[in-house]
Amino acid sequence: MKRVLVTGGAGFIGSHLCDFLLEQGYRVVCVDNLITGSKDNIKHHLKNAHFEFIKHNISKPLRVNGPLDYVLHFASPASPIDYVEYPIPTLKVGALGTHNALGIAKAKGAKFLLASTSEVYGDPLVSPQKESYWGNVNPIGPRSCYDEAKRFAEAISMSYYRMHGIDVKIVRIFNTYGPRMRKKDGRVVPNFINQALAGKDITVYGKGRQTRSFCYVSDLVRGIHSLMLSKHNGPVNLGNPQEITILRFAREIIKATASRSRIKYLPLPPDDPRQRQPDITLAKKVLKWLPAVSLQQGLRQTIEFFTNA
Ligand code: NAD
Ligand code: UDP
């Protein structure tokens, strides 16, 4: 059985990744300090002999016993509200955490996969965004603690690939949603759904003309697994290319929840990217990957989760 280390494994995406890997017959070591994650997300595995949880801050060195075949580095606050609350831990986990995770991969001869983000493209001047686009990032703005940490994480990962021959893969994740997002993590999907379910105003920032492209978590996890097994090195975008304005998204949520909520306009946060749509040509070519879950299907599952949460 192959053994995989997942940092950030008690978070939203990380816990779905642990589920998927266990189902596929891997042994999983989950490392998380629970800064934005929860043991609830992994509680169904705590008695599984193929699963191990280590509570640890990966920005500090870690010795892992036994062999590892893959190190998947997902630890990092990811919601704009979270990383503005924890800017220094976010910078540290992108920099020191990635360094430590790479060190583990090097010591074990394991393949390394970094969870990067569409935020490396900043407020993009081209759309859709291809992997070859270098981005338009404000290095000192409120989002810079996250964007620049991930850009550094990509740079150090590629340096380990070039200097030490570590088999490095980078997934640039575009807005992903689904069950186990925190109700109050501040991201648009949990905010709008919970506001709609409670009959409260839906808080659209700015005029809602900014766009995002939403990918359901099961599609993303399947893509990550294909990337992990692929021979490709360097960044690959994973996301759903169906682009939608935030205002239209608010209306979709009102419709899907049959809510009486009304839309309330609030100021647009600084440096909020105006558009975001992945070009997934590379993922289609090297991974034969395509998202399969429609926005309507994904929202149905997510609304059901928050209704019962
Ligand atoms: P999340 O906040 O739910 O998960 C992050 C997990 O990392 C949490 O469990 C947290 O406790 C853990 N963590 C943070 N710092 C840590 C540290 N120093 N040591 C150990 N554990 C630590 O967020 P998510 O949406 O699941 O994001 C997971 C990864 O995917 C992140 O790296 C994020 O940047 C990336 N990503 C997510 C999205 C998205 O739309 N969800 C988009 C782009 C990139
Ligand atoms: N947004 C919004 N209302 C909210 C939360 C977010 O209008 O209550 C907007 C936000 O300004 C951004 C988009 O929704 O344009 C996506 O925000 P999110 O925090 O989910 O992640 P981002 O894509 O900005 O990293």
Side-chain angles (χ1 to χ4, degrees):
M1 278 173 98
K2 302 268 187 208
R3 189 160 179 253
V4 188
L5 179 81
V6 182
T7 75
F12 157 55
I13 296 176
S15 64
H16 285 282
L17 194 54
C18 291
D19 292 353
F20 185 89
L21 293 169
L22 289 162
E23 272 163 33
Q24 298 287 317
Y26 293 86
R27 286 192 294 148
V28 173
V29 183
C30 164
V31 174
D32 202 300
N33 66 351
L34 306 177
I35 185 172
T36 58
S38 166
K39 243 180 158 177
D40 275 354
N41 291 336
I42 49 164
K43 64 175 185 294
H44 50 296
H45 297 309
L46 292 175
K47 289 190 178 144
N48 183 340
H50 296 153
F51 182 81
E52 190 183 330
F53 174 63
I54 303 174
K55 186 162 185 275
H56 178 80
N57 176 355
I58 195 63
S59 300
K60 300 200 158 74
L62 172 71
R63 285 185 76 89
V64 180
N65 293 327
L68 286 172
D69 299 284
Y70 297 92
V71 174
L72 313 183
H73 182 42
F74 278 70
S76 170
S79 155
I81 297 284
D82 288 338
Y83 56 71
V84 166
E85 187 177 349
Y86 302 114
I88 295 168
T90 302
L91 280 155
K92 281 183 160 178
V93 75
L96 308 177
T98 306
H99 185 219
N100 289 331
L102 282 161
I104 296 170
K106 182 165 166 265
K108 303 285 181 183
K111 295 176 198 261
F112 182 82
L113 186 146
L114 171 71
S116 185
T117 168
S118 51
E119 285 283 317
V120 299
Y121 302 122
D123 189 5
L125 303 178
V126 298
S127 198
Q129 294 82 51
K130 278 188 197 309
E131 291 82 353
S132 52
Y133 178 51
W134 290 354
N136 176 41
V137 174
N138 175 355
I140 54 166
R143 299 175 87 104
S144 64
C145 58
Y146 182 67
D147 299 12
E148 296 294 14
K150 291 290 187 182
R151 288 170 68 98
F152 176 89
E154 289 201 8
I156 192 172
S157 299
M158 290 311 290
S159 298
Y160 266 67
Y161 167 65
R162 294 190 188 104
M163 280 297 295
H164 297 306
I166 307 285
D167 191 344
V168 165
K169 289 104 178 33
I170 298 173
V171 53
R172 288 188 181 151
I173 303 169
F174 284 65
N175 296 67
T176 297
Y177 70 101
R180 297 194 196 141
M181 294 185 95
R182 272 168 27 244
K183 199 170 173 177
K184 295 204 170 147
D185 92 355
R187 287 185 270 192
V188 69
V189 176
N191 268 15
F192 283 7
I193 292 179
N194 287 295
Q195 289 162 346
L197 290 175
K200 293 187 178 154
D201 288 346
I202 309 276
T203 54
V204 168
Y205 300 159
K207 295 197 168 95
R209 285 195 199 130
Q210 69 274 35
T211 67
R212 293 296 185 270
S213 308
F214 295 100
C215 183
Y216 191 64
V217 65
S218 60
D219 279 336
L220 179 82
V221 163
R222 186 170 46 79
I224 290 167
H225 184 239
S226 301
L227 179 59
M228 197 178 121
L229 300 182
S230 81
K231 293 198 161 42
H232 187 81
N233 296 114
V236 177
N237 290 338
L238 289 183
N240 191 318
Q242 195 195 335
E243 189 179 10
I244 183 170
T245 66
I246 291 301
L247 182 57
R248 224 191 98 207
F249 187 62
R251 294 195 174 122
E252 291 285 332
I253 301 266
I254 291 174
K255 197 166 92 190
T257 50
S259 170
R260 295 177 155 214
S261 291
R262 294 161 59 148
I263 288 171
K264 177 172 154 192
Y265 293 91
L266 293 178
L268 190 66
D271 296 341
D272 198 292
R274 281 163 293 181
Q275 54 184 350
R276 196 182 277 158
Q277 185 195 22
D279 182 322
I280 57 166
T281 311
L282 185 63
K284 282 189 203 159
K285 191 171 151 219
V286 300
L287 310 178
K288 310 276 174 269
W289 177 86
L290 265 182
V293 181
S294 70
L295 187 62
Q296 285 68 26
Q297 289 169 319
L299 284 180
R300 216 175 301 131
Q301 304 284 331
T302 313
I303 290 166
E304 193 182 314
F305 166 78
F306 283 118
T307 305
N308 300 322

